[in-house]
Amino acid sequence: MSQSIAAPPGGSQAPISEGARWMQIVVGIVCMVAAANIQYAWTLFVPEIQATHGWTRASIQTAFTVFVVVQTWLTPIEGYFIDRYGPRVIVAFGGVMTGLSWIIDSYAGSLGMLYVGSAIGGIGVGCVYATCVNSAIKWFPDKRGLAVGLTAGGYGAGSALTILPIANMIHSSGYQAAFFWFGLLQGTIILIAAFFLRAPQKDQVKASTKVLQSRRDYTLKEALQTPVFWVMMVMFICTVSGGLMAVAQLGVIAHDLGVKEAPISLFGITMAALPFALMLDRVMNGISRPLFGFISDHIGREATMFIAFTFEGIGILMLSRFGHDPIMFLILSGMVFLAWGEVYSLFSATSADTFGTKHAAKIYGVLYCAKGVAALLVPLGNLLMEATGTWATVLYICATMDLIAAFCALAVLRPMLRKHHARNAELAAQQGRGPVTAAASP
């Protein structure tokens, strides 16, 4: 029998069942899975596009950068429309744009047209991603890390379901056919799922009792004026860069390390190293988001960040050292993605904990722009590799950024958040509004 969360005394909203809350998460995951391939299957298309048109690798990867920059940097604007029109309209629009993106890519005969398709994809995926994450934040303040992690996990692991079908269609029918038919399929799924989404009403959900959470709803302007916002922004950039580099360049790195076509037999499965790694990485990426989100609900966001960021930094260092071995390439790339995917659950949850949920879409939208900044480093990674003749330098830089962020999580972010919440509590007490934060995490 499902439990219900009743509105508090004086509340005007009807109780909401646990089943109804979780159904919103399920629908959000479906949308995220359908939107995931534009980012996570991209690496399969790069060699085929290069072989067909003869464009340079860096110029093709610029399309990936265009996609990520548009997806992230328009998120604050999308957040405004989410708050104004609700999740249903925005996700439906996102589904149309997501499908249209790959259909345009299927006909792209010039770099300019490829970039246009990528920009449209960035708008579409941005609408889907921002809305579904915002929905999870608002529906589950009591399990925010887990709920956001599950939703973001759909985006991280979603492409695991279609890596082989896309690769097979590229091989049998050409990359253009794969772009067209999968674009049409993905856009349609998102459009249908959008009609089941809705936002919670006031007082229908309850706050966490284990993690510090603000009862004050900051405006975007107020959030941008706090030092803690900018600390999170810098940490986000540092941690997202390494994983984003791996997402865009893993196929290229595998080729340059000489392991792309190397056969691997594991658990009774024999497959070339690159598609095997891509499947495993997507699964690890998806698992990491709810896993670390769940952990953060119990031990706190900052401690979880320290564990995950350290793990990722070590994984990247080991990949640069041992990645020429096919088995180690498979294992270490999976390790990197396991420790990377959680950034999208931890930072979104921390943002809502810190600044409240009323303007969460806009505030996290600006914070999410960190991914767009990091995307600008992806083509630079190619240039640095070509200048040095090795990926080691690029990977060492990414690992160092992860380890710096891990240190900052405990040494900088944690004390700043405690002061932030203590200041809110003091102001609320002075105004006679009572406490504004939940109990601290252990």
Side-chain angles (χ1 to χ4, degrees):
M1 178 178 289
S2 64
Q3 299 176 347
S4 295
I5 297 175
S12 58
Q13 300 300 327
I16 187 77
S17 70
E18 282 289 284
R21 289 207 300 165
W22 283 109
M23 181 55 65
Q24 292 299 307
I25 298 297
V26 170
V27 174
I29 291 172
V30 170
C31 293
M32 293 290 236
V33 168
N37 277 326
I38 290 190
Q39 175 170 324
Y40 289 105
W42 171 253
T43 191
L44 294 175
F45 292 92
V46 174
E48 306 301 324
I49 295 172
Q50 185 176 23
T52 301
H53 297 283
W55 301 328
T56 66
R57 187 184 292 172
S59 64
I60 296 170
Q61 289 292 23
T62 299
F64 181 84
T65 300
V66 169
F67 161 76
V68 177
V69 168
V70 172
Q71 181 210 355
T72 53
W73 288 4
L74 289 183
T75 304
I77 299 174
E78 291 157 358
Y80 168 81
F81 287 111
I82 293 167
D83 291 338
R84 184 175 179 86
Y85 297 108
R88 188 174 300 165
V89 173
I90 306 306
V91 171
F93 175 74
V96 172
M97 299 297 278
T98 298
L100 181 61
S101 168
W102 268 20
I103 292 174
I104 290 175
D105 285 346
S106 71
Y107 290 102
S110 66
L111 284 169
M113 193 171 180
L114 192 69
Y115 298 160
V116 169
S118 294
I120 291 174
I123 295 171
V125 175
C127 288
V128 174
Y129 190 99
T131 308
C132 293
V133 167
N134 180 66
S135 180
I137 285 172
K138 291 184 175 180
W139 277 107
F140 281 88
D142 54 324
K143 301 182 184 72
R144 186 167 284 154
L146 175 62
V148 174
L150 288 169
T151 304
Y155 188 72
S159 60
L161 300 172
T162 49
I163 283 293
L164 284 182
I166 289 176
N168 290 337
M169 181 170 283
I170 290 174
H171 179 73
S172 63
S173 305
Y175 81 87
Q176 297 95 335
F179 268 142
F180 181 88
W181 290 111
F182 277 91
L184 188 63
L185 175 65
Q186 291 160 184
T188 301
I189 290 173
I190 296 169
L191 187 61
I192 293 172
F195 290 97
F196 295 93
L197 290 170
R198 71 180 183 89
Q201 299 299 312
K202 185 179 179 181
D203 298 330
Q204 284 189 307
V205 293
K206 62 182 179 180
S208 172
T209 58
K210 296 181 179 180
V211 177
L212 284 169
Q213 293 182 333
S214 176
R215 300 294 190 269
R216 174 188 171 189
D217 289 312
Y218 282 69
T219 65
L220 175 59
K221 180 179 179 180
E222 289 171 336
L224 294 178
Q225 292 173 342
T226 63
V228 69
F229 178 90
W230 297 105
V231 169
M232 285 194 285
M233 173 69 82
V234 173
M235 289 175 59
F236 203 164
I237 293 171
C238 287
T239 53
V240 79
S241 296
L244 203 59
M245 187 76 68
V247 168
Q249 307 284 28
L250 193 64
V252 178
I253 292 172
H255 178 272
D256 293 342
L257 291 175
V259 299
K260 179 179 179 180
E261 303 293 340
I264 294 178
S265 296
L266 198 64
F267 305 122
I269 302 174
T270 300
M271 195 181 303
L274 179 59
F276 206 153
L278 289 172
M279 288 184 63
L280 178 63
D281 295 348
R282 281 15 173 200
V283 173
M284 293 296 100
N285 192 7
I287 291 173
S288 76
R289 303 181 190 209
L291 172 63
F292 284 103
F294 173 80
I295 293 171
S296 75
D297 285 336
H298 294 274
I299 71 170
R301 315 291 185 213
E302 311 90 79
T304 308
M305 287 179 180
F306 175 79
I307 295 169
F309 301 165
T310 301
F311 194 53
E312 182 186 352
I314 293 172
I316 292 175
L317 288 174
M318 293 178 67
L319 181 63
S320 68
R321 177 67 179 84
F322 303 107
H324 60 277
D325 178 85
I327 293 291
M328 293 303 294
F329 176 81
L330 175 70
I331 294 172
L332 292 173
S333 65
M335 177 178 172
V336 169
F337 277 89
L338 177 64
W340 176 66
E342 91 295 325
V343 297
Y344 300 108
S345 56
L346 294 183
F347 282 105
S348 56
T350 305
S351 175
D353 292 342
T354 306
F355 303 114
T357 59
K358 184 176 181 179
H359 305 288
K362 291 189 283 289
I363 295 172
Y364 180 64
V366 176
L367 186 63
Y368 189 64
C369 289
K371 183 180 177 183
V373 175
L376 298 176
L377 302 178
V378 172
L380 296 181
N382 276 109
L383 297 177
L384 184 57
M385 182 272 168
E386 292 170 0
T388 61
T390 175
W391 282 102
T393 303
V394 178
L395 296 176
Y396 286 156
I397 291 173
C398 291
T400 300
M401 293 169 69
D402 277 312
L403 296 176
I404 290 172
F407 170 80
C408 289
L410 294 183
V412 181
L413 183 61
R414 172 178 278 181
M416 290 187 73
L417 285 174
R418 286 176 175 170
K419 291 180 181 177
H420 174 87
H421 290 298
R423 188 162 49 248
N424 278 349
E426 183 180 348
L427 289 173
Q430 290 174 356
Q431 297 171 5
R433 292 190 286 111
V436 295
T437 56
S441 59

